[in-house]
Amino acid sequence: KWMAEREVLQAAKDGLPVIVAMPTTPVGPWDWKPTPTGKIILDFLNGKMPGYVETGLNFVGVEECAAGHLLVAEKGKVGERYLLGAENLTLKGMLDLLAQITGLRAPGMKIPHGVALGVAYVDTVFSRLVGKEPQIPVEGVKIARHKMFVDASRAQRELGFQPGPVVAALERAVRWYRTNGYVTARR
């Protein structure tokens, strides 16, 4: 992605009318695959998350993110980049919001990055042996060593981007996953 963005921005300097929209971590309904973030929500909902690593992300509601893309196309300046984000939250903070929404208990065990990375490697090897996708992606654990907090206020100022509260987007995601059969009956 980074290399493609560099190429596109160079093309903008050469006259191609390009504007870059950069969503942070969208959350919300209709995540049918699910995305890695959706998988975190599902693991929480299905009781498959014994702990968490210390990390952080900027989250944004998927509907607001889609509206932000339209604003970028309508009002963005050629050759510019716009972050479409809402709230910086630690993973623990996100899990606490999910606990507040659902009444389920948030994981309380903080897992050291080294332990999580070791488990991810073992999971990857085992998954390859049985022909499945790893449940704990090695690259995801490596990236989690860094909090990926951002300031997305430029899109708000220049484009009129108005993200809603992330707790509302998480509520919509939880409702959608439950309604569409992604949550086990025992939960």
Side-chain angles (χ1 to χ4, degrees), residues 28-64:
W30 306 292
D31 187 5
W32 57 269
K33 187 177 177 182
T35 61
T37 308
K39 186 171 176 338
I40 291 170
I41 295 169
L42 282 174
D43 285 349
F44 172 87
L45 292 173
N46 287 312
K48 295 181 179 180
M49 185 173 280
Y52 65 93
V53 294
E54 184 62 37
T55 191
L57 297 163
N58 183 283
F59 295 92
V60 63
V62 69
E63 299 95 330
E64 292 95 345

Side-chain angles (χ1 to χ4, degrees), residues 5 8-9 11-12 16-22 68-83 154 158-159:
E5 182 182 328
V8 166
L9 290 174
L16 187 67
V18 173
I19 308 165
V20 178
M22 301 183 322
H69 278 79
L70 296 175
L71 286 169
V72 168
E74 179 184 317
K75 298 179 179 181
K77 295 178 184 152
V78 170
E80 295 294 326
R81 304 160 68 221
Y82 296 92
L83 279 167
R154 179 173 175 233
E158 294 183 18
L159 307 175

